[in-house]
Amino acid sequence: MELASIHIHPVKAGRSIERDENALEVWGLEGDRRWMLVDETGRFLSQREHPPLALLDAQPDVDGLILSYEEIGERFVPVPEGDDRLTVTIWGDTVDAALADDATNAALSQWLQRPVRLVHLDRTDARHIDPAWAPQSTDHVPPVAFADGFPLLIANPASLRALNGDIVRQDGEAVPMSRFRPNLVIDGAEAWAEDDWATIRVGEAVIDLVKPCARCIVTTVDQTTGTVAGSQPMDALRHIRFSATPRVPGVLFGWNAVPRGPAVIRRGDPVEVVARRGGGPVVRDASGRGADR
């Protein structure tokens, strides 16, 4: 197996960037979801309620980001010095973050046609994963930036091909991997093999897969147009990937993961399974019973 692609999302819910190599930090890939947009109340924004966020492009630059939104505008945003701060909420977490300058927030509000503010996470200890899912390999709760809940999301293209097979059999159109917004795509395994990976080595990095990823309507957003493109892949996921795990209700694709330490990873790095999960099934079969992946 090998690492087929690496993806970062500099602004949470914004456009993905593919990298040939990237530093891996304890709270995720360097540059991944360190920035986030919030509404007037300080609550995070996502493609769930605002699909056009998929069109917000953020290119890392020295000491900041170059933001652009289609042909509407472009601007450089420096990393905030941290004097102006804002208490923001992301899911059940309350986080103290550095606030971007007023001109940037005004421009983004104009681009997106709604009041927004941009914040930057400048403390690695500001937020942590759910302690219930902390890997056994560590005696502390790992940190996470502005990702939904975990530092990494890992996906398998063979699993996507299997899912697309079901979509096509339902007379739908196959969907690209971008719908699932992964960080690491690992090629060379059988479909759904990732359900049995407890720990993998990617180049010099050791990564624990801790929780199957429950999916939502963001997977129905076309990442090239910023519009909802129908009910797939959610319909197919309900058919073949409905969770058998009460702790993770809903439909599943990909795995949330935690790196054990810093490393540099590169596209093409070899991937090996260090430890397997075993145990019960991850998804139910069509009859509603547990199924072997």
Side-chain angles (χ1 to χ4, degrees), residues 176-194:
M177 184 64 85
S178 61
R179 293 285 190 91
F180 300 95
R181 299 175 63 78
N183 292 118
L184 307 180
V185 177
I186 295 173
D187 205 358
E190 294 182 356
W192 316 121
E194 63 273 23

Side-chain angles (χ1 to χ4, degrees), residues 7-196:
H7 306 265
I8 65 170
H9 313 78
V11 176
K12 180 178 177 64
R15 181 166 286 165
S16 170
I17 300 175
E18 187 168 350
R19 311 281 281 190
D20 289 331
E21 69 173 57
N22 211 92
L24 180 60
E25 303 168 329
V26 293
W27 59 334
L29 289 170
E30 181 181 37
D32 185 56
R33 298 177 173 97
R34 304 296 192 263
W35 301 75
M36 181 173 72
L37 288 168
V38 299
D39 64 15
E40 309 97 307
T41 69
R43 182 184 181 277
F44 79 103
L45 288 179
S46 84
Q47 293 181 28
R48 295 168 185 82
E49 66 274 4
H50 199 70
L53 283 174
L55 304 178
L56 179 64
D57 186 73
Q59 297 293 327
D61 194 53
V62 177
D63 298 327
L65 296 176
I66 299 174
L67 295 179
S68 61
Y69 187 72
E70 295 194 287
E71 302 299 322
I72 297 176
E74 178 177 299
R75 66 181 294 115
F76 172 73
V77 183
V79 174
E81 294 183 359
D83 296 331
D84 294 328
R85 307 195 68 82
L86 185 68
T87 299
V88 300
T89 56
I90 171 170
W91 298 113
D93 296 329
T94 301
V95 181
D96 176 60
L99 183 64
D101 61 276
D102 290 343
T104 291
N105 292 325
L108 285 166
S109 297
Q110 182 179 21
W111 293 357
L112 297 171
Q113 293 296 292
R114 61 181 298 168
V116 299
R117 286 176 286 182
L118 181 67
V119 296
H120 179 252
L121 193 59
D122 54 359
R123 291 175 40 217
T124 60
D125 62 346
R127 186 170 177 245
H128 296 81
I129 72 168
D130 183 342
W133 296 100
Q136 296 180 356
S137 62
T138 182
D139 59 359
H140 67 280
V141 180
V144 62
F146 284 140
D148 275 354
F150 295 86
L152 296 171
L153 178 62
I154 292 175
N156 174 1
S159 300
L160 178 60
R161 288 191 289 272
L163 177 64
N164 277 329
D166 193 79
I167 292 175
V168 171
R169 284 190 289 274
Q170 296 181 41
D171 296 324
E173 295 290 333
V175 300
M177 184 64 85
S178 61
R179 293 285 190 91
F180 300 95
R181 299 175 63 78
N183 292 118
L184 307 180
V185 177
I186 295 173
D187 205 358
E190 294 182 356
W192 316 121
E194 63 273 23
D195 287 346
D196 195 40

Side-chain angles (χ1 to χ4, degrees), residues 205-222:
V206 178
I207 299 170
D208 293 308
L209 283 71
V210 297
K211 182 184 179 183
C213 187
R215 309 313 304 220
C216 69
I217 58 170
V218 169
T219 60
T220 67
V221 176
D222 185 326

